Amino acid sequence: MPDRQIYLLSPRELSPETIAVAFAKTSRSPESFREIAAGLTEEKSAQFHEKWVVGYGHASVAEHAVLHIAFENVSRLAIESIESNRLASYTEKSTRYQKWGTDNFFVPTELDGHPLRDEFIATCRLLFRTYNGSLDPARTLVLKRAQRRENESDEAMDRRLRSQYVDVCRFLLPAASLANVGMTANARVLENVIRKMLSHELAEVREIGEQVKDVAKSEVPTLVKYADAAPYLMETMRDLSLTSSFPSDREREGVVEDWCELVRYDKDGENRVLAAALYRFGEMPFEDALMHVRSLPDAMRADLVESLLGKLGEHDIPLRELEYAIYTFDLVMDQGAYAEFKRHRMMTQTPQMLTTRLGYATPRLITEAGFGSEYEAAMKAAAETYEKLYQFNPRVAQYVVPNGYYRRVLAQFNLREAYHLCQLRGASNAHFSIRKIAHRIHDEIARVHPALTKFMLLPKETWQDVEEKYFVK
Ligand SMILES: Cc1cc2nc3c(=O)[nH]c(=O)nc-3n(C[C@H](O)[C@H](O)[C@H](O)COP(=O)(O)OP(=O)(O)OC[C@H]3O[C@@H](n4cnc5c(N)ncnc54)[C@H](O)[C@@H]3O)c2cc1C
């Protein structure tokens, strides 16, 4: 019996395209990966990709070529496009742990030579001035209310408590705020990223797409060579934008009746999850497992639930069979919360454009620090500029919308992802905006599927507690 071999193909020695070919060739070659790699050159690898990936569409080969791309000083609006690619990994400058300087915002090129450009800049400056002005009063109040630890220096105390005041001041930062983000993605994802970016409605995103293509070409020249703007994407988005407003719904536009609606779920979802768990370890057809679960007396059903989830620890991921229960939520959340929510990749998310028309949240600390009227004035100024910009270009108008304004997002996810989302974002160290969403999502799912949600590990706090403690009504 040949010896088991496990080793790395090191990116220090081989280019990403060569690594991808070395793996791809194992499909037809009896040689070891080392031997295959030793026989490759960058030129031979390029020829292979040209023939198989590009020519025959064996696109998954490109997944073995991985790049790390650094984006600096891109708007947080553009970051939404970058991070909308679910099969990549990201880390972004945090609005919770860092502060923004007064000129850290992007001016859209669409406004070059336009009369609204000056107003856009003036409104962003006002928002940043107000943001900077709010830091001190909010900080003073947080420090006044906190207990100093033994031998704690001013600096250490500030570091420990910084997120508490930065968390509320961030509501003022507009989507034009500049940030850095690091992305790790394979060449197949990148090709799609570039295609989507080059087809985007915003000039900034298209420009970033060109730059991504340029830098990616230096490492994976063949695999992104044909990544171009996609007429399908551009034309479909244009056509749908024109048809998405219809008179019968006007009355409900801009009105938030409920900020967290569970609009669809499978009434039999719990049974389906339990049946799938039995199916996995049995030999019966799925329908038989489902009939069996439906017929179980309550006590036996409870035992089955206990077997599936009872031993779940804090760092465990529940079995995949939880994915058979699916929920669709229509959510309204402030943009700061959405920036965190969008990072959950095991979901289908459909956000609407940023707007000021759904109103904004006011953090309690801002008013208690005596900064409420400045906050309100800045938020109102943003809404006025937004409306003017909207007449020119609704996409561009999004840049001026601050984090505190509400936004709609449709999200569909399964119970396994619900466990992850609710536990991670409902934890006491999560930002209070997303904590509120996580608790409410938990409550809505628990209402319809109580047996399978009772093992979620959440703090005692409720969404109403969060609302009361952190927001002004
Ligand atoms: C305390 C805290 C601080 C944070 N600070 C920052 C910050 O400063 N900057 C920042 O950008 N983000 C920050 N985040 C966000 C964080 O990095 C995640 O992007 C976010 O929480 C989404 O969660 P996720 O990736 O675990 O889950 P999802 O994308 O919802 O995925 C669910 C689960 O699927 C699995 N999974 C999904 N994709 C992958 C993958 N590619 N590889 C391996 N497993 C995967 C994991 O098990 C994951 O938990 C912070 C989060 C927390 C909780």
Side-chain angles (χ1 to χ4, degrees):
M1 188 174 71
D3 283 347
R4 177 189 298 132
Q5 299 272 332
I6 297 174
Y7 54 94
L8 298 177
L9 290 192
S10 170
R12 292 198 192 99
E13 290 154 21
L14 301 165
S15 75
E17 285 201 353
T18 304
I19 291 177
V21 177
F23 281 166
K25 282 198 159 210
T26 201
S27 152
R28 315 281 155 103
S29 165
E31 289 181 308
S32 74
F33 291 107
R34 272 197 194 101
E35 287 164 338
I36 300 172
L40 289 170
T41 60
E42 293 198 7
E43 199 186 342
K44 279 189 191 166
S45 302
Q47 282 164 1
F48 180 96
H49 287 306
E50 196 75 60
K51 179 174 172 188
W52 288 95
V53 180
V54 180
Y56 295 146
H58 190 175
S60 61
V61 167
E63 292 171 32
H64 296 296
V66 175
L67 296 194
H68 306 281
I69 302 184
F71 299 79
E72 292 179 8
N73 299 318
V74 291
S75 77
R76 285 174 53 89
L77 187 59
I79 286 180
E80 290 195 3
S81 308
I82 298 168
E83 292 179 352
S84 69
N85 300 284
R86 69 155 65 104
L87 293 176
S89 309
Y90 311 94
T91 298
E92 180 187 338
K93 172 175 174 170
S94 170
T95 50
R96 303 193 70 193
Y97 304 107
Q98 294 201 54
K99 298 174 189 169
W100 262 253
T102 40
D103 277 329
N104 286 166
F105 64 88
F106 177 74
V107 182
T109 38
E110 287 91 340
L111 290 177
D112 285 355
H114 194 278
L116 283 169
R117 188 173 187 273
D118 288 347
E119 184 169 338
F120 174 85
I121 292 173
T123 309
C124 284
R125 291 228 163 99
L126 170 70
L127 287 165
F128 275 85
R129 252 198 333 272
T130 316
Y131 165 78
N132 273 286
S134 69
L135 288 166
D136 232 19
R139 176 174 174 273
T140 306
L141 188 58
V142 167
L143 295 186
K144 198 170 124 195
R145 287 174 175 172
Q147 287 279 78
R148 192 184 287 271
R149 289 179 181 161
E150 213 178 303
N151 300 325
E152 192 175 33
S153 67
D154 284 353
E155 209 189 345
M157 189 171 179
D158 183 72
R159 220 178 16 252
R160 175 166 64 85
L161 299 169
R162 186 180 305 156
S163 70
Q164 287 187 30
Y165 62 91
V166 176
D167 269 0
V168 302
C169 303
R170 81 169 196 186
F171 281 63
L172 286 153
L173 291 172
S177 307
L178 293 171
N180 297 347
V181 59
M183 175 197 209
T184 299
N186 66 54
R188 188 183 195 181
V189 169
L190 268 179
E191 202 208 11
N192 196 32
V193 167
I194 296 167
R195 236 183 253 282
K196 285 202 286 184
M197 288 191 132
L198 296 181
S199 314
H200 204 273
E201 297 99 332
L202 290 171
E204 183 196 6
V205 178
R206 292 194 299 275
E207 283 160 21
I208 295 170
E210 293 289 358
Q211 287 176 280
V212 171
K213 187 171 173 178
D214 274 354
V215 298
K217 269 196 328 213
S218 66
E219 287 285 306
V220 286
T222 329
L223 296 175
V224 297
K225 190 157 76 176
Y226 300 102
D228 291 315
Y232 162 73
L233 288 178
M234 292 187 291
E235 287 161 27
T236 308
M237 287 190 292
R238 188 200 53 212
D239 291 353
L240 288 173
S241 302
L242 294 174
T243 53
S244 66
S245 183
F246 39 92
S248 60
D249 256 10
R250 287 262 159 82
E251 280 169 25
R252 277 158 65 91
E253 276 176 17
V255 176
V256 180
E257 282 158 8
D258 188 356
W259 53 268
C260 177
E261 272 186 86
L262 175 57
V263 289
R264 291 278 182 284
Y265 69 96
D266 176 2
K267 290 195 172 53
D268 212 20
E270 288 196 323
N271 289 337
R272 280 160 46 79
V273 168
L274 294 173
L278 291 181
Y279 179 94
R280 173 170 170 172
F281 300 100
E283 295 185 355
M284 73 299 266
F286 180 71
E287 278 304 316
D288 290 8
L290 192 58
M291 297 271 279
H292 171 74
V293 168
R294 282 183 188 140
S295 70
L296 284 177
D298 287 352
M300 285 178 73
R301 194 169 183 277
D303 285 348
L304 183 55
V305 171
E306 181 70 32
S307 304
L308 178 61
L309 293 166
K311 294 174 192 70
L312 203 59
E314 200 187 337
H315 301 293
D316 293 324
I317 301 172
L319 292 191
R320 182 167 277 193
E321 283 62 37
L322 266 74
E323 294 182 6
Y324 287 101
I326 293 166
Y327 312 91
T328 310
F329 280 91
D330 191 358
L331 299 160
V332 177
M333 63 183 82
D334 64 62
Q335 170 61 8
Y338 174 70
E340 293 171 357
F341 187 77
K342 76 175 181 332
R343 295 293 297 281
H344 289 278
R345 294 158 290 181
M346 297 296 192
M347 291 192 192
T348 303
Q349 295 188 357
T350 307
Q352 288 183 350
M353 272 194 295
L354 274 161
T355 177
T356 57
R357 295 177 182 175
L358 294 176
Y360 60 87
T362 303
R364 189 173 283 284
L365 191 78
I366 284 279
T367 52
E368 289 176 350
F371 209 74
S373 50
E374 284 95 330
Y375 179 84
E376 227 170 84
M379 295 303 255
K380 285 199 172 124
E384 279 165 28
T385 306
Y386 169 83
E387 287 300 341
K388 290 183 200 162
L389 287 165
Y390 186 91
Q391 298 310 318
F392 159 62
N393 182 334
R395 300 265 160 202
V396 171
Q398 297 181 96
Y399 280 107
V400 84
V401 179
N403 267 330
Y405 272 96
Y406 294 120
R407 165 182 215 177
R408 266 191 195 284
V409 54
L410 188 67
Q412 181 164 289
F413 47 92
N414 60 52
L415 184 57
R416 200 171 182 220
E417 177 69 341
Y419 259 78
H420 179 61
L421 174 83
C422 294
Q423 293 184 158
L424 187 79
R425 302 304 195 174
S428 53
N429 64 346
H431 188 281
F432 52 84
S433 277
I434 195 149
R435 224 153 84 211
K436 187 176 93 164
I437 310 282
H439 279 287
R440 179 83 194 274
I441 286 177
H442 162 269
D443 289 3
E444 291 300 312
I445 298 179
R447 184 169 56 76
V448 297
H449 290 158
L452 292 185
T453 34
K454 83 171 191 228
F455 296 90
M456 274 191 201
L457 299 168
L458 283 169
K460 286 257 171 295
E461 178 183 66
T462 64
W463 66 264
Q464 291 94 336
D465 295 338
V466 180
E467 194 164 73
E468 181 62 33
K469 186 166 172 200
Y470 293 97
F471 292 100
V472 173
K473 281 258 158 48

